Amino acid sequence: MYLLYIGVNPPAYVKAVIEPLTSSDLSKLTPRDFYFNWKDFEDTDLWKLRLQDSNEILAAMSLTGFPSESRIEINLIASRRNNVGPEKQYDRVAGCLIGWACRLAVGKYGVDACVSLTPKTQLINYYKNKYSMLSAGTQLYVDGPTLYQLIQTYIDHEPGEDNP
Amino acid sequence: MNLEKITPEELVDGFMVPAHLTDEQRRTANLQLANVRQKRMAERSQQEKLYGQLLQLKIQMEDYIRQDTYDPKKSFSHFLNSYIELLQKKKNEVASELAIHKTKLSQLLSGHREPSEEIFIRLELHSNRFIPAHHWFRLSVKKQEHALMTNSSLRNRERAHVKAGIELAL
């Protein structure tokens, strides 16, 4: 998968990887760098995103699986503080992590796969617009062709298939 | 930079900041979602189902290819069997579509014959390029690699043919 490096003109795709977060990684996810107290999410399924040629964690994600509903819920995604605001260098961070959650869901639940999240109310429309999510009352969700499309856009996408 | 100072557009590109729900609100929200999904699942087309099933198969192949370990249950033949099952076609029909003899397909499915490069490419084309030839190829290579690394009788036999070797020490 690829992030979009916007620190150059024109922007360029750079290879990224998503891996399970280890217990030693967890201590690096300080509120100072990653905004939230990630130790509160210790019992969830934790993932980290990094550039392929760097060990620095760029973002982290917490998931919970609901096998009886063929669903994975995204509890939290946060970028490293130095990739936010005026200092931001990489785009597609949350997209790649959401795409990864979709890929995990299809790998486990196949055609019934669903990914859901419950964002703050003021952000609901933004998630709907950017990731084509649908509303089911309080929660947003994605399934079927829209979910497959997120995998295509953020995980399977190869540079050269389009221009940044 | 504080999250309050970040634009909503930027927040959704780098974050998923959750709303706080009480246990009761969460139960209600889960129920609402389950109801909505039940309706949607009943309306899915056959094409949509097939796409999802093939994507699951492809992801399972990719995950196995990435693993360092060899699992005899996840062979080329295992995934080929799954592929044909998903298509809900008779084996004779698939053999005909791939232009191979039905006996050859049976041997590939039972693992009694190793697939050729032509088979990998025909399978890629058969899936409308959805499952690339190199996925099938890597499954086959994984088995060959395991066989090479664990074939002690071949290793012992070949030792007799190596008349001299380099000397190597730290």
Side-chain angles (χ1 to χ4, degrees):
Chain A
M1 85 206 64
Y2 293 83
L3 299 178
L4 190 62
Y5 179 46
I6 55 175
V8 290
N9 191 15
Y13 283 110
V14 285
K15 228 170 186 173
V17 290
I18 296 176
E19 300 164 319
L21 199 93
T22 63
S23 48
S24 66
D25 288 327
L26 193 57
S27 59
K28 297 174 193 161
L29 298 185
T30 59
R32 191 169 62 90
D33 284 338
F34 288 92
Y35 293 94
F36 298 90
N37 189 355
W38 284 84
K39 294 222 164 99
D40 291 347
F41 295 86
E42 201 167 4
D43 294 334
T44 66
D45 189 14
L46 292 170
W47 296 85
K48 64 178 176 183
L49 181 147
R50 63 173 175 85
L51 295 182
Q52 191 177 49
D53 56 3
S54 166
N55 285 326
E56 185 179 83
I57 300 172
L58 267 183
M61 171 170 70
S62 158
L63 303 174
T64 301
F66 294 87
S68 64
E69 299 173 39
S70 307
R71 173 168 71 91
I72 289 178
E73 179 164 349
I74 300 175
N75 304 310
L76 178 66
I77 292 174
S79 290
R80 178 181 277 277
R81 198 176 287 266
N82 66 6
N83 192 46
V84 174
E87 295 174 81
K88 181 174 169 170
Q89 292 192 302
Y90 300 100
D91 261 343
R92 290 167 55 94
V93 169
C96 284
L97 287 165
I98 292 170
W100 188 256
C102 292
R103 187 186 182 279
L104 288 173
V106 175
K108 281 185 183 174
Y109 309 126
V111 69
D112 295 333
C114 173
V115 167
S116 65
L117 44 91
T118 313
K120 283 186 176 291
T121 314
Q122 62 269 32
L123 295 174
I124 285 177
N125 282 334
Y126 292 94
Y127 284 104
K128 283 165 86 170
N129 291 336
K130 189 165 177 82
Y131 303 111
S132 304
M133 293 196 156
L134 296 170
S135 179
T138 317
Q139 299 191 74
L140 295 181
Y141 74 101
V142 62
D143 65 3
T146 318
L147 182 145
Y148 308 148
Q149 191 57 51
L150 284 175
I151 298 174
Q152 180 60 42
T153 304
Y154 290 102
I155 306 298
D156 292 343
H157 168 266
E158 289 288 332
E161 290 174 358
D162 60 17
N163 292 317
Chain B
M1 189 168 192
N2 290 331
L3 288 183
E4 294 75 31
K5 294 181 181 166
I6 301 170
T7 63
E9 288 83 359
E10 198 180 327
L11 263 178
V12 300
D13 191 65
F15 293 84
M16 202 303 284
V17 185
H20 178 73
L21 299 184
T22 63
D23 288 349
E24 185 52 35
Q25 286 170 325
R26 179 152 298 280
R27 264 193 297 276
T28 307
N30 285 348
L31 206 58
Q32 282 175 324
L33 176 56
N35 287 336
V36 170
R37 289 204 62 226
Q38 205 170 12
K39 281 182 201 153
R40 277 178 65 82
M41 282 161 86
E43 291 165 358
R44 287 179 308 200
S45 68
Q46 281 306 316
Q47 266 302 309
E48 189 181 331
K49 284 184 194 171
L50 179 62
Y51 191 98
Q53 288 167 331
L54 284 173
L55 184 57
Q56 181 180 33
L57 184 71
K58 184 177 155 187
I59 288 170
Q60 288 172 345
M61 287 168 89
E62 289 169 353
D63 287 347
Y64 175 57
I65 289 164
R66 281 197 198 120
Q67 274 177 28
D68 292 333
T69 51
Y70 169 72
D71 182 348
K73 289 182 194 151
K74 293 180 179 172
S75 57
F76 171 89
S77 57
H78 162 76
F79 284 105
L80 183 57
N81 270 293
S82 300
Y83 176 68
I84 293 175
E85 266 175 42
L86 292 183
L87 301 180
Q88 295 184 324
K89 287 186 172 182
K90 293 199 169 111
K91 288 170 190 166
N92 283 354
E93 201 180 345
V94 175
S96 163
E97 288 171 355
L98 291 169
I100 59 173
H101 195 275
K102 60 183 180 183
T103 311
K104 187 173 174 181
L105 180 63
S106 291
Q107 289 168 338
L108 289 170
L109 288 168
S110 63
H112 290 132
R113 178 193 277 258
E114 293 308 318
S116 62
E117 288 179 6
E118 289 82 1
I119 294 294
F120 303 139
I121 290 167
R122 285 185 201 184
L123 283 169
E124 174 184 295
L125 297 172
H126 190 268
S127 72
N128 200 9
R129 300 183 187 272
F130 190 76
I131 301 176
H134 63 83
H135 280 40
W136 296 107
F137 170 73
R138 285 180 190 168
L139 290 173
S140 179
V141 164
K142 220 163 151 118
K143 183 181 174 187
Q144 288 174 41
E145 183 187 14
H146 176 75
L148 178 72
M149 299 312 289
T150 55
N151 192 340
S152 50
S153 60
L154 176 64
R155 187 162 266 103
N156 289 335
R157 205 163 58 237
E158 294 309 310
R159 203 182 298 278
H161 296 292
V162 181
K163 305 297 180 197
I166 61 166
E167 283 184 24
L168 199 60
L170 280 177

